[in-house]
């Protein structure tokens, strides 16, 4: 039949994949918190500090490399030079009223959630209130509200649905450090979290066995929701090509090179053993949902010490966003090219 697939048809196809995704999300918190607490609580604090510092330095370095790579590619290929229809560009971008200061402060606020139970369900965010087209005055302070200057707008606190992974990670790290410092008095609590971690890893292993089927149905459902797959890619073909090329170079050349230099060994076997997490990440588009699969693959297939894996990976899933950094650098300069703007080096650095 030539009839297009309906939303309901696509939902039926992706139904099994959604169940798989829900199973993964279900074990995220019960796996991350006990594993992280047990890993830190059982480690020597001086070793924990060294591992954490090296992990953060590595994450920041790879993120900077991803941004630089994105800038080089977008300025070389110039995907926005040809231009596309303005309405097509508007369909691909959504304007969010937010300032850089608010974003940074919200990040810090989410590090210290007021309620650890709420952190499993919601994240804090600051929302700006659009003042309209004309200048107005704040009735409480008398300050001028300028529609052209977002820093003068009124704002309000809001909670968005989604796990506050960063807050949970900070809470787990502090609890783990406290257990380690308590010595023998903290051992009963440490054994409890170690037991929970072992049990949840067993549950995660069961779920991972469903990954090939779940990911297949997830991807199939997403493809069926597209009205014209070829048309969607043609609209922003060069943009897609630039981003995908950057991800390919970063993921298959830059990161394996760093691995080879650090371990003095070839990365091919390591990458092959990570096939399941890579497929899950592609199908779910979620770092958090992929985290249990990644932990399992590192420990079971690549022989990474569970203490290290369960300490480093939750932090990485929160702050290490190489793909996002590369994509946003390309997107910002792509939009500038679309509007005929050629930013200088300083502006490029500021944008990225």
């Amino acid at each position: 039949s030539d009839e297009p697939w309906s939303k309901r048809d696509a939902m039926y196809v992706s139904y099994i994949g959604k169940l798989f995704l829900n199973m993964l999300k279900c074990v995220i918190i019960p796996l991350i918190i006990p594993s992280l607490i047990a890993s830190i609580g059982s480690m020597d604090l001086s070793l924990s500090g060294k591992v954490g510092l090296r992990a953060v330095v590595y994450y920041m370095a790879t993120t900077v490399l991803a941004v630089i790579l994105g800038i080089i590619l977008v300025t070389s290929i110039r995907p926005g030079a040809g231009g596309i229809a303005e309405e097509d560009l508007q369909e691909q971008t959504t304007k969010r009223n937010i300032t850089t200061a608010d974003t940074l402060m919200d990040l810090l606020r989410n590090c210290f959630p007021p309620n650890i139970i709420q952190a499993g369900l919601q994240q804090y965010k600051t929302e700006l209130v659009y003042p309209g087209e004309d200048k107005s005055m704040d009735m409480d302070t008398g300050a001028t509200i300028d529609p052209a200057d977002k820093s003068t707008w009124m704002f309000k606190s809001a909670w968005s649905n989604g796990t506050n992974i960063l807050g949970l990670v900070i809470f787990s790290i502090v609890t783990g450090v406290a257990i380690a410092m308590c010595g023998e008095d903290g051992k009963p609590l440490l054994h409890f979290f170690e037991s929970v971690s072992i049990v949840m890893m067993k549950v995660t292993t069961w779920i991972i066995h469903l990954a090939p089927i779940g990911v297949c149905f997830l991807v199939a459902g997403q493809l069926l929701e597209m009205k014209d797959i070829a048309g969607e890619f043609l609209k922003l073909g060069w943009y897609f090509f630039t981003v995908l090329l950057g991800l390919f170079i970063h993921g298959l050349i830059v990161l394996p090179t760093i691995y080879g230099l650090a371990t003095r060994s070839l990365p091919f076997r390591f990458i092959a053993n990570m096939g399941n997490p890579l497929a899950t990440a592609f199908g779910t588009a979620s770092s958090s949902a992929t985290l249990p699969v990644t932990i399992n693959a590192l420990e079971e297939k690549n022989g990474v010490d569970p203490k290290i894996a369960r300490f480093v990976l939750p932090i990485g899933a929160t702050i290490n966003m190489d793909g996002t950094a590369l994509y946003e650098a390309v997107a910002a300069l792509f939009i500038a090219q679309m509007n005929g703007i050629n930013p200088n080096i300083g502006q490029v650095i500021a944008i990225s």
Side-chain angles (χ1 to χ4, degrees):
S1 174
D2 293 332
E3 288 292 322
W5 291 75
S6 66
K7 283 279 187 181
R8 178 166 288 274
D9 293 331
M11 183 270 289
Y12 287 147
V13 172
S14 63
Y15 181 70
I16 295 177
K18 294 292 185 183
L19 291 180
F20 166 71
L21 185 58
N22 288 345
M23 292 179 197
L24 276 179
K25 290 181 177 180
C26 181
V27 298
I28 291 174
I29 295 177
L31 178 64
I32 290 178
I33 294 181
S35 297
L36 193 51
I37 292 175
S39 298
I40 298 176
S42 60
M43 287 177 67
D44 180 81
L45 288 181
S46 60
L47 176 61
S48 179
K50 291 179 181 177
V51 172
L53 178 61
R54 290 177 182 177
V56 171
V57 170
Y58 169 77
Y59 291 147
M60 293 185 67
T62 55
T63 300
V64 171
L65 288 175
V67 172
I68 293 173
L69 176 61
I71 292 173
I72 293 174
L73 290 176
V74 75
T75 52
S76 302
I77 299 174
R78 297 189 61 81
I84 58 174
E86 185 175 350
E87 58 271 16
D88 289 337
L89 182 61
Q90 291 176 348
E91 287 178 6
Q92 300 294 327
T93 58
T94 55
K95 186 177 181 181
R96 184 186 174 199
N97 290 325
I98 193 69
T99 66
T100 302
D102 287 333
T103 301
L104 295 176
M105 287 190 292
D106 286 349
L107 184 67
L108 192 57
R109 289 189 184 101
N110 282 317
C111 287
F112 307 99
N115 188 321
I116 195 62
I117 304 299
Q118 184 185 30
L121 302 171
Q122 294 180 319
Q123 300 181 45
Y124 180 90
K125 68 176 182 179
T126 301
E127 291 185 348
L128 299 183
V129 180
Y130 182 62
E133 299 294 333
D134 302 320
K135 289 185 178 181
S136 57
M137 182 176 293
D138 186 344
M139 301 302 294
D140 295 327
T141 64
T144 301
I145 300 177
D146 185 358
D149 184 3
K150 291 181 181 179
S151 64
T152 65
W153 293 13
M154 301 289 287
F155 59 89
K156 62 181 181 180
S157 301
W159 294 92
S160 61
N161 292 328
T163 305
N164 179 8
I165 294 291
L166 187 58
L168 294 175
V169 167
I170 296 297
F171 173 81
S172 301
I173 290 175
V174 172
T175 304
V177 171
I179 290 176
M181 293 183 68
C182 288
E184 290 298 322
D185 292 335
K187 286 296 177 65
L189 186 58
L190 175 61
H191 293 326
F192 167 76
F193 282 118
E194 286 176 340
S195 180
V196 174
S197 176
I198 292 171
V199 172
M200 293 313 304
M201 183 54 71
K202 175 63 69 175
V203 174
T204 302
T205 303
W206 295 342
I207 298 174
I208 288 173
H209 290 155
L210 304 173
I213 299 174
V215 172
C216 178
F217 280 97
L218 271 177
V219 174
Q222 291 174 352
L223 292 177
L224 292 179
E225 289 181 0
M226 296 182 183
K227 182 179 179 181
D228 180 7
I229 299 176
E232 291 292 328
F233 280 94
L234 283 175
K235 282 182 183 178
L236 296 167
W238 280 107
Y239 171 71
F240 284 147
F241 172 76
T242 304
V243 174
L244 291 175
L245 179 62
L247 295 176
F248 176 85
I249 294 174
H250 188 73
L252 296 180
I253 297 178
V254 176
L255 296 182
T257 300
I258 295 175
Y259 174 90
L261 293 174
T263 64
R264 306 292 178 88
S265 61
L266 295 176
F268 304 117
R269 181 180 295 276
F270 184 91
I271 295 174
N273 290 336
M274 297 302 291
N276 210 352
L278 291 173
T280 305
F282 179 79
T284 63
S286 171
S287 300
S288 298
T290 311
L291 186 56
V293 188
T294 307
I295 292 175
N296 179 270
L298 284 178
E299 294 178 5
E300 300 295 330
K301 295 183 178 180
N302 283 319
V304 176
D305 187 337
K307 293 180 181 179
I308 302 297
R310 299 180 191 191
F311 173 48
V312 171
L313 287 177
I315 300 174
T318 307
I319 67 173
N320 185 220
M321 300 290 181
D322 292 1
T324 302
L326 187 150
Y327 154 75
E328 290 184 351
V330 173
L333 295 177
F334 169 75
I335 293 172
Q337 292 173 2
M338 286 296 308
N339 291 278
I341 301 172
N342 293 311
N344 56 40
I345 296 178
Q347 290 171 326
V348 167
I349 295 174
I351 290 172
S352 303

